[in-house]
Each structure stands twice: as C-alpha cells, then as structure tokens.
Amino acid sequence: MASFKYESQVRAPLVDGSKDYHQVTEDIVRPIEAPPSRAWWIGFVISVALLLFGVYSIYREVTYGVGQWNLHKTIGWGWDITNFVWWVGIGHAGTLISAILLLFRQGWRTGVNRAAEAMTIFAVMCAGQFPIWHMGRVWMAFFVLPYPNTRGPLWVNFNSPLLWDVFAISTYFTVSLLFWYSGLIPDFATIRDRAKLKWRKLTYGLLAFGWTGSTKHWQRHESLSLVLAGLSTPLVLSVHTVVSFDFATSVVPGWHTTIFPPYFVAGAIFSGFAMVQTLLLVTRKVLALEDYITMEHIEVMNKVIVLTGSIVGIAYLTELFIAWYGQNPYEGYAFMKNRLDLFSPYGWSYWLMMACNVISPQIFWFRKLRRNIVVTFFMSVIVNIGMWFERFVIIVTSIYRDYIPSSWAVYYRPTIWEVGFYLGTFGLFFTCYFLFSKFFPVIAIAEIKHILKKSGESYKKEMGHVEKESADSLFHEVHAAHH
C-alpha cells in the first residue's frame, strides 16, 4: 500500500493550478529571462539611493569621529546596537524555515525558503556593520579576531559576550550562505540548460558546478542539505542567545535578566517571519507567483507569528513580575518608572512596543484575518516596528537612568547620520534583494517539483476518489492491477 502514500485532501494544496513540471520551470524562470519591469527599476533605484546616503553617513562618522552620533558617556549604545540586534533578528526566519522545517519534513517551507534564506544572508550583512563602525577607529576591527599575533599578551577577551558575537554571527553567516548556495545549484543548472545567450550559459554554468541531475548528484545534495540543516538548527537557537548575553551578563538594571536567551530567540523568529511576509507578499504580486506562494503559506506563517508574539508577550509580563517580586529598588525603577510609566521620558516607546508586539498579533487567532493579504502585509510591518522598539527600549531605557541620578542622561535622540546609517542598511538589504530576485530563482524550482506530486492541486483532484474508497476495495484494485 506504500505506493498510494499521499497527502490528505483535508490539507489545501501548496501549488495552485494544474501545473506540470515544465509549467513550474516556466513560471519561476520567466522573471529571470525577461527584461526588468518598471516596478523593479523604481525599487532598485530607490534602494541604491538609500545605500549611497548610508555610505555618506558612514564617511561622516569615520572622518569626524563617533561624535557625529549622539552617543555619550551614559548612553554608549544607542541606535547602532539597537539596529544591530534588530537586523540579526530579521535574519533568523530564513535558517529556521530552511533547517528546522527541513528536518521536520514540512512541505509548506518549499514555497518560501529560498527568499527567506536570501533574506538571512542580506540581513546578517547589514547587522555585522554596526559593531564595526561603532568602534570609531574602524581599522582596529581586526583586533576582535583571535588570530596568532606578535603583540605579546595582547589577545581578545574570551570572557566578553561581544567576542562570542563575533564567533556566533560569522559561523551563522557561513553556514547560512552554504545552505542557500547548495540549494541553488540544481536551479542554476536548469537556467544554464535553457540559456540562449552565451554569457548567460557560461555564468550559470560556472555557478552550477557541473550539475547534471544524476542520481549520485541528487544523493549527495540530499546528504549535504541534511548535514547543513543539522548544523544550522542549533545555530538558530544559539546566535540570538549569544546576542542576548551582550545584555544578560552585565549588572545593569533592566539588562541583568536570565529570561533573555529564550525571549530573544522567540523575538527574532517573530520579527524574521514578519519580514518574510513583507517581502513575499510583494514578490508574489510583482513576479506573478501567487500559485506558488499560496494563501496556505501565508496562513501558516501567520500562525508562527501569533505563537512567537505570544511567547514574547509572556516574557514581557515575566520581566515586570520579577522586577516587582525581587524588590530590588534599581531593577524596580528600570521597569516600573523608566518603562511602564507612560509619562516618563521613554514610557511612550514601551507602550508602543507592547501594542505592536503583544496586542496586535492576536488578531491572527481569526482565520479570516490570517488569510487576508492586506491585513497580513500591514501587520508584518507593524510587528517589525514593534520589534525595533523592543530593542530600543531594552538598550536605551536601561542605561539613560541607572544607579546614580548624577549620571543620568538628557533625552537621547539620534542625529541625521545615525538615521542615515540605518537607512543605508535598508538600501543595502533591498539592493541585494532586488538583484537576487532578478538573477536568481526566488522559489526553489527543484523543491517545488518534489512536492508537486503530493501537494499540487491537480494531483489532489485525481486522488480525491481514492480517499473516498474503503481500504478493502483499494487493496483489491491494486492486487488485480499487479496480476
């Protein structure tokens, strides 16, 4: 009976329309072979303009020093580290969708994993810049790397979580890049074989590494995917755990919190899935890929968003409870006065964070709203605004008024060059994403074909009558066919 293994009709198809293998290839490769559309050019030019503004902002900071930012002795971390943690969080969904869902054999990941993996690479590229430029003397960046040197006892501080960040994020970036690229190889070969222009055939031929689609190639590809997924799974959990140690291992009230590791991981998945939703809703519309990024994909990701948003909400309430229960006056002041008091200087940011991250995702308990494109797009933007404010609240409200009133800071607001640097990373992210969507397949062709036979709409219709038959009649039909 194993030959009749298929997905239940109860599950909605993951590929809409009566698609065959050739149609799948045509639909996904079409945007690559066609000239760029006007919408693509507009988006690309805006992204490059933002990127150039970011480059100029960094030039100002390197030339004239960190004084170009509004950082000072009390608030030594501001927008730069807020944005660093935010971008690392954005990069979490890609590897989660790729690695953990691959190990659990979740078929719905195939429509969204390629774009999510690309998003991970670009987000980590954006994140890694903030600590480097934050140094001021950026040419000292190589001092964070623990390589053998002739400087006597001068080594990096292995007790510092900032060094752990270097290890965690560089490892995460490397494994994510390998995972993304290895998945692209069969699709590069497909584009190579269809190419009519010589330069295109040569370029994609080099990228495909001589892929022929033989059984041996597929066997090795499957093995590599599982090994990389096994390596990536602990990385998904460890990277943002290590980022949370930047704060949790300190003694600053509001940072010294043991709940940070799981809370940061849940928040990273929360914001990462929201960014995937933002990108994929635009991509599916612009590239006409509605049959492959279906309402089923959107609904499942909204379920993950409401789950992780609820976990983050529990973490917020746990922090408040412990601040009250612990009876530490400094911890209590950090939470009850600096954050919870709406009329304190930064109280508004705490309540904005609560509204965006805890209250608003609860609308996804309703199926009709989970499957509404406009609501989903709006909510995906709201969630990422809320998650940015979460990082801002943790960093700034904890240090601008800490132990001694004499060291309290005046109201912190970023300069135009801090904002410009942040906008520049958006420019880098979207420039890379636009180039990716133009020259690489946004959806994994080979993986869509793999699930087509059990999750495609046409196949489900053909198998509908089988589901209605009894097991005995089905057995007799198969037995008669074999004889």
Side-chain angles (χ1 to χ4, degrees):
M1 298 300 290
S3 60
F4 277 87
K5 184 181 177 184
Y6 63 100
E7 277 193 4
S8 167
Q9 291 291 300
V10 172
R11 288 179 180 268
L14 295 175
V15 182
D16 287 339
S18 300
K19 306 289 185 186
D20 56 20
Y21 291 147
H22 175 67
Q23 189 62 46
V24 169
T25 306
E26 286 290 333
D27 289 346
I28 297 174
V29 177
R30 188 194 318 112
I32 300 170
E33 294 177 340
S37 64
R38 178 179 292 181
W40 186 92
W41 275 116
I42 292 170
F44 183 69
V45 168
I46 292 171
S47 301
V48 171
L50 284 175
L51 176 57
L52 292 174
F53 181 46
V55 170
Y56 181 70
S57 300
I58 293 169
Y59 160 77
R60 294 274 309 196
E61 189 262 342
V62 172
T63 306
Y64 300 108
V66 183
Q68 292 288 294
W69 297 350
N70 260 349
L71 303 180
H72 44 77
K73 67 182 181 67
T74 304
I75 301 178
W77 283 359
W79 265 52
D80 48 355
I81 304 300
T82 300
N83 297 331
F84 161 69
V85 180
W86 187 78
W87 275 118
V88 174
I90 294 296
H92 253 59
T95 308
L96 177 89
I97 288 171
S98 298
I100 296 178
L101 299 183
L102 175 66
L103 293 176
F104 283 99
R105 301 294 182 187
Q106 294 296 302
W108 65 267
R109 65 177 279 282
T110 55
V112 298
N113 68 320
R114 174 67 51 73
E117 288 166 29
M119 189 192 78
T120 292
I121 308 296
F122 308 147
V124 174
M125 283 165 55
C126 294
Q129 295 184 54
F130 286 97
I132 293 172
W133 300 112
H134 176 88
M135 291 178 178
R137 295 188 176 97
V138 68
W139 46 91
M140 299 297 186
F142 67 89
F143 279 110
V144 302
L145 302 172
Y147 60 90
N149 62 71
T150 56
R151 296 190 296 273
L154 186 61
W155 281 86
V156 292
N157 181 9
F158 286 96
N159 292 324
S160 170
L162 297 175
L163 177 65
W164 310 342
D165 274 347
V166 174
F167 285 114
I169 291 169
S170 59
T171 307
Y172 183 65
F173 178 77
T174 306
V175 173
S176 298
L177 187 64
L178 288 171
F179 206 164
W180 178 61
Y181 188 79
S182 62
L184 276 162
I185 289 174
D187 294 355
F188 283 147
T190 300
I191 301 169
R192 172 201 66 197
D193 296 340
R194 291 168 54 92
K196 294 180 174 61
L197 299 174
K198 191 173 181 180
W199 69 268
R200 189 185 285 270
K201 189 175 280 289
L202 178 64
T203 304
Y204 287 105
L206 289 171
L207 291 170
F209 276 123
W211 177 274
T212 61
S214 65
T215 306
K216 196 69 179 172
H217 282 187
W218 278 113
Q219 187 182 14
R220 287 173 177 161
H221 185 267
E222 181 77 10
S223 301
L224 177 65
S225 297
L226 289 172
V227 168
L228 288 174
L231 288 171
S232 302
T233 300
L235 277 176
V236 171
L237 304 175
S238 70
V239 170
H240 228 60
T241 298
V242 170
V243 170
S244 78
F245 287 164
D246 294 351
F247 311 103
T249 54
S250 74
V251 293
V252 176
W255 285 3
H256 188 64
T257 310
T258 53
I259 200 175
F260 267 10
Y263 152 31
F264 266 51
V265 170
I269 295 167
F270 182 50
S271 61
F273 267 77
M275 184 61 95
V276 171
Q277 290 281 48
T278 307
L279 288 177
L280 286 180
L281 289 173
V282 175
T283 302
R284 77 192 284 269
K285 184 69 177 174
V286 172
L287 301 182
L289 295 172
E290 288 92 347
D291 288 343
Y292 302 96
I293 304 168
T294 64
M295 286 309 305
E296 190 70 15
H297 293 100
I298 292 163
E299 183 178 15
V300 172
M301 286 197 288
N302 282 337
K303 288 177 181 176
V304 175
I305 287 172
V306 75
L307 170 67
T308 48
S310 302
I311 294 171
V312 167
I314 291 168
Y316 294 160
L317 297 178
T318 304
E319 282 186 318
L320 293 175
F321 171 75
I322 294 299
W324 166 79
Y325 186 73
Q327 292 297 297
N328 181 320
Y330 303 105
E331 193 81 15
Y333 190 89
F335 282 95
M336 302 305 174
K337 187 66 182 169
N338 285 355
R339 299 183 186 177
L340 200 59
D341 182 359
L342 180 59
F343 300 103
S344 66
Y346 287 108
W348 61 272
S349 61
Y350 183 80
W351 286 103
L352 183 62
M353 172 194 83
M354 291 292 274
C356 292
N357 294 347
V358 181
I359 299 167
S360 63
Q362 304 308 319
I363 67 169
F364 285 144
W365 287 104
F366 301 99
R367 186 173 186 271
K368 189 173 181 181
L369 295 175
R370 279 199 309 268
R371 298 177 70 88
N372 185 303
I373 297 287
V374 176
V375 170
T376 299
F377 183 80
F378 177 73
M379 277 305 307
S380 69
V381 175
I382 291 294
V383 164
N384 265 315
I385 291 171
M387 287 308 293
W388 187 92
F389 272 101
E390 180 206 278
R391 279 64 180 247
F392 179 81
V393 164
I394 288 170
I395 292 165
V396 175
T397 64
S398 299
I399 55 178
Y400 92 112
R401 288 182 177 177
D402 49 16
Y403 293 104
I404 307 172
S406 61
S407 70
W408 285 4
V410 294
Y411 195 79
Y412 165 77
R413 54 171 58 83
T415 65
I416 182 65
W417 308 121
E418 283 176 273
V419 177
F421 184 14
Y422 182 46
L423 293 176
T425 55
F426 271 103
L428 175 63
F429 180 84
F430 285 107
T431 299
C432 291
Y433 190 81
F434 277 115
L435 291 171
F436 158 73
S437 67
K438 180 66 196 80
F439 295 107
F440 292 180
V442 175
I443 294 173
I445 304 169
E447 295 190 34
I448 287 289
K449 289 178 178 178
H450 178 70
I451 65 159
L452 191 63
K453 274 292 182 185
K454 64 175 184 280
S455 294
E457 185 181 305
S458 55
Y459 183 73
K460 282 182 175 287
K461 284 177 182 173
E462 288 173 18
M463 293 300 290
H465 76 280
V466 176
E467 205 167 46
K468 294 170 185 160
E469 289 187 34
S470 66
D472 289 337
S473 61
L474 194 59
F475 173 77
H476 290 308
E477 280 182 32
V478 175
H479 189 72
H482 276 248
H483 294 83

